[in-house]
Amino acid sequence: MNDDLSRIQFALTVSFHFLFPPMTIGLGVVLVVIQGLRLWTGKHLYLDMARFWTRVFGLFFAIGVATGIPMEFQFGTNWAHYARFVGDVFGSPLAIEGIYAFFLESGFLALLLFGWHKIGPRMHFFSTCMVALGASFSAIWILVANSWMQTPDGYHLVREVKVVADGKEYPMSADLGGESFTTREVPLPADYVVTREDVPHVRAVIDDFGMAILNRSTLARLCHTILACWMTGSFLVVAVSAWWLLQGRHVEFARTSLKIGLGVATLASLLQMVAADSTARGVSRNQPTKLAALEGLAASRKEAPMGVVGGVSWKRDAEGRIVGVEDNAIRIPGLLSVLVSGEFLHPVAASETEVQGLAQLPSDEFLRRRHPGASDVELANLRPQYWPNVPVVFQTYHLMISIGVALVGVVLLACVLWRSGKLWDAESKYVRAFLWLLVLTPVLSEIATQAGWYTAEMGRQPWVVYEVLKTGDAASAAVKAPQVLSSIILFSVVYLLLGVLFFGLLIRMIRKGPTTEAAGTDLPETWQPLSLKAGRQTEGQAP
Amino acid sequence: MTLNAFWFVLVGVLLTGYAVLDGFDLGTGLLLLCAKGDHERRVFLNAIGPVWNGNEVWFVTGVGALFAAFPQVYATVMSGFYDLFMLVLTALIFRAAAIEFRGHRPGRCWRTAWDVAFAISSVLSAFLLGVAFGNVVWGIPLDSAREFQGNLITLLHPYALFTGFTTVVLFIMHANVYLVLKTDGPLQEKLMRWTTFTVPAYLACFVAFNAVTLFACAHIVAAIHERPLILGAIFVVGLLVTFNILREIWMRRPGPAFVSSCAALVLHLLLFGAAVYPNLVFSTPNHAYDLNIYNSASTEKTLGFMFVVAIFGVPIVLTYTITVYYVFRGKVILTEESY
C-alpha cells in the first residue's frame, strides 16, 4: 500500500516538475542565440527580445526550482530502501548535479534576471551562456543517475553481516543475545538474486565510476532528452510569436522571435530523429522486454511490424490471470525489424531481423534463476509478473512518436513557408490556420516529453534498478500509508494552486507583450545601441 | 584526516553555508510583515531577491552530498522525519511561489496575501528545520535495521520545539542585520532600532539552549567531558561574536555587524558539529544503533571519487557565490526587473 502510494506521489511530483525544466533548458538556448545576435549586430530589437524572453524564462525557472526541491528529498523520504541500496552509486550524480549544475545555474541566473543595471552586455551574454550550460548540466547528471537505473553497470552487490569475536559471521537479522559483534560487508556473486528480505542489508557498491556514469544507455538517452527540451522551449517562442502575428501585435518582434525559435526547433527536431532512433535501438539491445512491451509484440518474429495507432490489451485466462497481449493496433509490416537492425539502406534484408516478443521475455534462464525448480509451465505463468503495464506503455510510447513525427512535419512546413515569405501573410486563412497550429506546438511538445518519460519509467517496471531491485521492495519501511496519503493531498493542493496561478501569470505576461516604449533608455550607457551612441537612428530601433 | 571525517566536514560546510545564506532569507519572512507599506516590503524582498534562489541550492546540495557520502543517514532521517520534511518542502515551494508571484500584480489584496504566505512559509521552514536539527542532537529511537521507530509526535518533544524556536529567533536576528546592511535612510534607522530586540532575544535563546542541552542530553555531556576546551572555546567566542553585533550596530558599522552575525551562525553550527562528531544521528535509548561517519558511509571508493569532485567543485562554487554577492553589493535599488 505504502509503495503504491509512494509511486503515485513520485509520479505526481516528478510529472509536475518536469513540465518546467524542458522549457528552461530550451529557452536557455534561445536566449543564448538572441543575446549573441544582440552582441553581434548591436540591434536594439534583440535587447527587447532578450528582456522579454528572460522574464518568461524567470517565471518558468522559479516554478521549476520550487517544484524541483522535493525531488532531492523523495528518494530518502519515500524510497529509503532504494536510497540505502543504491546510495553508494546513485548519490554521487545527485551531489555532482548540486555542486556543478545548480550553483552554476542559480548564481548566473541572478545576474541574468537582475543584473541588467549592474553588468554590461558582454558579462550578461556570458551569464546567459552559463545559465543555459547549468540547465543542461543538471539534465546530464539526472539522466546519468536515471540511466544507471535503466542499465546498471560498474557495481557489485555486497551483504552486511555480523562478525563475532571468533570471526564467525551471522546474518544481520540473527539474534546473538548479549554477545558483542562488529559488522563487515561480504561481496555477492554477479548473478545474485535480491529478495525482499535482503533489502535492508544488501547494497550495490561502486567498482568503476566510468562504467556507472557512461553506461550503455546514458549517451543516447541524454541526447534524446536534451533535444526534446530544446524542442519544447523553442516551440514556446514559436507559439507566442505566432499568436502575436495572428493578432497583428508586435509584428517585427514576433517575426524575429519566430525565426529564431523556428531555427532552434528545426535543428533540434532533425537531430531528434537520429537520437530517438538510437535510443529505441538501445532499448532493443539493453532492455528487450521493455521494447517488446512498448510495441506490444506478443511473440518473437521476423518482419516484426511497428504499431501506429490503436492499442493492445491484456489477454487473460479463465481465472483472470494475464497470459499475453491482444493486438488491436494498425501496424506497418516489417518496420520494427528494420528499425531494430538499423540497416536502413537494405530494408528487405533488415526486415529478416528477429525481434523478441513477450512470450519469450524475460528469458527462461532469467526466470529459472529467480524461481529455481519451477517447471516450464510454471515459468510461463510467472513470466507476466516481469512485464510492465503493456497496454499503457504502448499508448504513451506511440503518442510520443506520433507527436514527434507530426512536429517534424510542422517545422519543415513552417521553414518552407518562411523561405517563400508566405508565413507572414496573416490575412490568408490557410496561413492563419497554420499559425494556430504553431500556437499548439509547445503543448504537443510537452505532452510528447511527458509521454516519453512515462514510457521510459513505466517501461522499466517492475524494476526500480533494472533486473536487480524491484520497485515494490524499495519503499520506506518507517513510513506508513496514511502519511503518504496526506502528503499526496498536500502536494496535489499546492501544485494545483501553483499550476493555475502560473498559467494565469504566463498568459498575462504574453498578453502584455514586450515593453518597447522605453527602448532600453533605463539601462546604463553600455547597453545603448552602437548606432545611437554615434547619434544615428537606424532600422534596429523599434517603432 | 580520513575521508569519512572530510565528508562530515563538507556536509557540515554545505549545511552551514545554507544556514548563513538562506538564514537571512528565511528571517526576512517574518520581518516582512513588520514593514510598513509596499515600498518597504519591496525593499526587503529585493534585498534577498537576486540571491535567495542560489542560497537554497546550498540546502539541496547539502542533502545531495549527504546522500552520496552517508546514504544510511539520508535514508533514516528523511524517512523517519517524513511528515516534518513534507511540511518543510511544501513551505519551501510556497515561499518560492510567493516571492515570484507577488510582484506580477499590483493589487493590494494580492500582494498582502503573498506577503503573509511568504512570512508563514518562511517561519515554518525555519522552525521545522530547527525541530529536525533538535531531534538529531536529542536522539531518535532506531532499530537494528536503522529504521526510525516512532511518529510525528515522537519528534515534537519540548527540546526539539525549543530548538525550532531558537532557530527562528536566530534567523530573524540574522535577517535584521542583513537588512541594515542593504538599506539606508529612515528605513535603516528603524531596522537598527529593531536589532536592540532581536540580538538580545537570540543571545537569551542561545544561552538557554546550551544550558538545556547541558542538563538534558547525556551523550552531549559525554562529548563535553571528552573535549571541554574546544567546545568551551567555541561557546565563549560565539557569545562574544554575538555581543559584537550589538557593538558594531551601535558604532553604525553594518558591514562588520553582518560579518559578526555570519560568524555567530558559523560558530553555533561548529559547536553542534564538534559536540556530535563522529556521530551523525543518535539512537536513543539504545546507543548501539547510533549512526556515525563510519557505519553509515559510502565505500571508500565513492568517498574518494567525490573528494576529487568536491576539491575541484567547491572553489568554483565559492567563486560564483562571491561574484554574485559582489555584483549585487550595496543598497537595494528597485528597477523594472525587481520583485
Side-chain angles (χ1 to χ4, degrees):
Chain A
M1 191 58 188
N2 164 16
D3 65 283
D4 287 333
L5 287 170
S6 288
R7 283 176 209 238
I8 294 173
Q9 177 167 319
F10 204 88
L12 173 80
T13 49
V14 83
S15 301
F16 191 74
H17 172 61
F18 196 51
L19 291 171
F20 302 94
M23 283 291 181
T24 46
I25 292 171
L27 276 176
V29 176
V30 175
L31 280 178
V32 167
V33 175
I34 292 174
Q35 292 255 18
L37 284 170
R38 138 80 214 169
L39 264 190
W40 193 30
T41 64
K43 276 194 191 175
H44 210 89
L45 179 64
Y46 292 123
L47 181 56
D48 289 334
M49 286 173 62
R51 293 184 90 177
F52 176 76
W53 290 115
T54 302
R55 275 206 291 278
V56 176
F57 179 90
L59 184 60
F60 273 100
F61 194 92
I63 310 302
V65 168
T67 56
I69 296 172
M71 306 321 302
E72 191 86 13
F73 290 76
Q74 284 189 93
F75 302 112
T77 53
N78 293 67
W79 303 98
H81 276 322
Y82 172 77
R84 295 181 203 281
F85 188 89
V86 302
D88 196 54
V89 184
F90 188 85
S92 308
L94 292 196
I96 297 174
E97 185 186 21
I99 295 173
Y100 284 91
F102 292 158
F103 276 116
L104 184 68
E105 222 175 342
S106 65
F108 284 100
L109 182 79
L111 299 181
L112 180 61
L113 291 182
F114 302 100
W116 298 99
H117 298 264
K118 303 268 182 185
I119 52 177
R122 279 169 206 283
M123 185 60 192
H124 203 270
F125 174 64
F126 178 72
S127 305
T128 313
C129 294
M130 288 302 113
V131 170
L133 200 64
S136 301
F137 276 178
S138 58
I140 290 175
W141 289 105
I142 206 66
L143 271 141
V144 162
N146 185 268
S147 295
W148 186 82
M149 295 162 77
Q150 303 280 353
T151 48
D153 209 348
Y155 73 102
H156 69 273
L157 296 178
V158 295
R159 179 200 296 282
E160 199 181 13
V161 292
K162 289 179 178 173
V163 186
V164 292
D166 61 358
K168 258 194 180 162
E169 291 174 359
Y170 295 94
M172 289 299 284
S173 50
D175 185 7
L176 304 181
E179 197 173 350
S180 69
F181 61 88
T182 55
T183 59
R184 198 164 80 84
E185 286 185 328
V186 288
L188 295 169
D191 59 351
Y192 183 79
V193 175
V194 179
T195 65
R196 195 178 187 116
E197 290 68 39
D198 279 339
V199 171
H201 301 295
V202 170
R203 65 168 178 162
V205 300
I206 200 78
D207 285 327
D208 182 343
F209 271 100
M211 280 162 77
I213 289 172
L214 277 180
N215 60 60
R216 286 159 290 160
S217 67
T218 311
L219 273 182
R221 300 183 73 238
L222 180 62
C223 294
H224 186 44
T225 313
I226 291 266
L227 288 169
C229 296
W230 288 16
M231 287 171 74
T232 310
S234 53
F235 277 130
L236 181 75
V237 177
V238 169
V240 173
S241 311
W243 194 62
W244 282 332
L245 287 179
L246 279 165
Q247 294 191 325
R249 293 168 60 205
H250 318 297
V251 172
E252 191 187 353
F253 186 99
R255 283 185 187 175
T256 316
S257 290
L258 197 145
K259 286 178 199 165
I260 293 171
L262 195 57
V264 176
T266 310
L267 179 72
S269 305
L270 293 177
L271 290 175
Q272 185 65 295
M273 296 204 294
V274 182
D277 172 63
S278 76
T279 304
R281 196 158 328 106
V283 173
S284 77
R285 268 198 308 272
N286 304 323
Q287 300 165 294
T289 314
K290 187 173 175 180
L291 186 82
L294 301 187
E295 282 296 347
L297 196 65
S300 302
R301 58 174 292 187
K302 293 176 178 178
E303 295 178 26
M306 179 167 160
V308 182
V309 286
V312 293
S313 50
W314 290 123
K315 190 191 288 174
R316 292 172 191 273
D317 64 7
E319 290 150 43
R321 278 180 314 188
I322 293 165
V323 292
V325 290
E326 202 130 13
D327 187 2
N328 310 310
I330 297 171
R331 291 171 182 271
I332 301 175
L335 184 58
L336 186 60
S337 288
V338 177
L339 288 173
V340 165
S341 76
E343 300 284 331
F344 300 111
L345 296 178
H346 313 285
V348 178
S351 70
E352 289 302 306
T353 311
E354 183 174 282
V355 182
Q356 288 181 294
L358 289 167
Q360 284 73 33
L361 288 169
S363 65
D364 286 347
E365 188 214 344
F366 174 94
L367 291 172
R368 277 212 184 85
R369 257 197 292 139
R370 277 165 179 78
H371 306 278
S375 70
D376 283 355
V377 178
E378 282 168 333
L379 284 189
N381 288 337
L382 286 166
R383 184 166 274 128
Q385 283 181 19
Y386 295 93
W387 295 341
N389 190 331
V390 179
V392 174
V393 293
F394 180 90
Q395 293 303 343
T396 57
Y397 180 62
H398 289 93
L399 183 65
M400 168 186 76
I401 294 179
S402 309
I403 293 178
V405 171
L407 286 176
V408 173
V410 169
V411 289
L412 291 180
L413 184 55
C415 286
V416 171
L417 289 174
W418 165 21
R419 295 318 300 171
S420 66
K422 290 201 178 70
L423 194 58
W424 317 126
D425 178 17
E427 301 294 306
S428 146
K429 69 177 183 207
Y430 297 108
V431 173
R432 289 189 77 82
F434 185 70
L435 287 174
W436 274 114
L437 184 62
L438 289 183
V439 171
L440 287 180
T441 50
V443 180
L444 292 173
S445 191
E446 283 278 13
I447 293 172
T449 314
Q450 294 271 338
W453 200 245
Y454 285 180
T455 309
E457 298 301 279
M458 292 180 72
R460 192 191 60 219
Q461 304 302 324
W463 306 102
V464 65
V465 180
Y466 201 66
E467 299 189 341
V468 178
L469 181 67
K470 281 190 176 169
T471 315
D473 297 339
S476 301
V479 180
K480 306 288 173 282
Q483 289 175 283
V484 188
L485 191 62
S486 328
S487 57
I488 290 178
I489 296 170
L490 196 64
F491 278 122
S492 307
V493 172
V494 173
Y495 283 1
L496 192 68
L497 181 72
L498 217 60
V500 170
L501 286 171
F502 165 81
F503 196 69
L505 289 175
L506 179 67
I507 296 296
R508 206 178 125 88
M509 199 181 252
I510 293 168
R511 278 236 173 93
K512 201 172 150 214
T515 38
T516 48
E517 308 88 61
T521 44
D522 58 323
L523 291 186
E525 171 77 359
T526 45
W527 283 98
Q528 297 313 321
L530 303 170
S531 49
L532 267 194
K533 275 187 202 158
R536 280 186 293 124
Q537 191 87 3
T538 67
E539 43 157 13
Q541 195 64 12
Chain B
M1 195 159 77
T2 64
L3 277 172
N4 300 58
F6 170 83
W7 276 98
F8 180 85
V9 172
L10 192 71
V11 171
V13 166
L14 288 167
L15 294 180
T16 306
Y18 174 69
V20 169
L21 296 175
D22 210 35
F24 61 73
D25 297 343
L26 293 172
T28 302
L30 194 76
L31 294 177
L32 188 67
L33 290 187
C34 304
K36 293 271 181 297
D38 190 51
H39 180 78
E40 274 190 27
R41 290 186 174 182
R42 283 192 70 201
V43 171
F44 279 23
L45 285 177
N46 285 290
I48 62 168
V51 292
W52 71 268
N53 196 319
N55 296 344
E56 234 162 53
V57 171
W58 288 80
F59 189 35
V60 174
T61 306
V63 171
L66 185 70
F67 191 5
F70 305 109
Q72 301 294 352
V73 173
Y74 171 81
T76 300
V77 171
M78 294 292 153
S79 64
F81 296 1
Y82 186 87
D83 307 287
L84 218 60
F85 275 116
M86 287 301 143
L87 287 172
V88 171
L89 294 176
T90 318
L92 288 179
I93 294 174
F94 243 97
R95 267 186 94 236
I99 194 169
E100 175 66 30
F101 287 165
R102 182 189 188 279
H104 279 266
R105 279 168 173 276
R108 202 189 149 125
C109 286
W110 172 268
R111 292 200 164 181
T112 309
W114 286 118
D115 288 342
V116 172
F118 185 75
I120 293 176
S121 49
S122 300
V123 172
L124 195 67
S125 328
F127 180 73
L128 292 173
L129 288 173
V131 169
F133 211 65
N135 274 297
V136 172
V137 181
W138 186 256
I140 51 174
L142 296 181
D143 70 2
S144 65
R146 309 179 186 98
E147 296 292 355
F148 173 67
Q149 305 289 305
N151 53 38
L152 184 60
I153 306 301
T154 321
L155 300 175
L156 298 179
H157 52 82
Y159 181 81
L161 295 176
F162 185 60
T163 317
F165 178 74
T166 307
T167 312
V168 174
V169 175
L170 168 63
F171 286 172
I172 288 175
M173 172 198 81
H174 192 46
N176 195 172
V177 178
Y178 176 72
L179 290 172
V180 169
L181 178 69
K182 299 297 284 184
T183 52
D184 49 11
L187 184 57
Q188 192 186 30
E189 292 298 322
K190 187 159 86 174
L191 284 161
M192 280 190 175
R193 279 199 302 280
W194 290 358
T195 55
T196 54
F197 296 103
T198 54
V199 181
Y202 171 64
L203 269 170
C205 284
F206 178 64
V207 173
F209 176 75
N210 280 290
V212 171
T213 311
L214 212 53
F215 282 107
C217 276
H219 46 268
I220 300 290
V221 176
I224 295 173
H225 283 298
E226 202 178 307
R227 26 183 188 267
L229 273 182
I230 299 175
L231 290 171
I234 298 172
F235 176 75
V236 172
V237 176
L239 212 56
L240 290 177
V241 166
T242 316
F243 270 115
N244 192 51
I245 303 172
L246 277 179
R247 183 176 148 264
E248 299 291 352
I249 294 276
W250 187 69
M251 293 173 72
R252 309 188 64 81
R253 293 197 302 208
F258 180 64
V259 173
S260 300
S261 187
C262 293
L265 251 157
V266 171
L267 286 163
H268 193 165
L269 283 156
L270 190 64
L271 188 62
F272 162 80
V276 301
Y277 183 86
N279 293 295
L280 286 156
V281 180
F282 289 103
S283 160
T284 46
N286 191 347
H287 283 289
Y289 302 136
D290 281 356
L291 296 180
N292 61 39
I293 60 171
Y294 303 105
N295 71 4
S296 67
S298 285
T299 55
E300 203 170 317
K301 206 165 201 165
T302 295
L303 294 180
F305 174 74
M306 291 304 293
F307 173 78
V308 177
V309 166
I311 283 297
F312 285 101
V314 172
I316 302 178
V317 166
L318 290 176
T319 315
Y320 309 147
T321 311
I322 292 168
T323 308
V324 171
Y325 277 86
Y326 180 75
V327 169
F328 293 102
R329 70 191 180 282
K331 309 296 179 191
V332 176
I333 299 163
L334 299 179
T335 65
E336 195 196 334
E337 270 82 16
S338 298
Y339 283 118

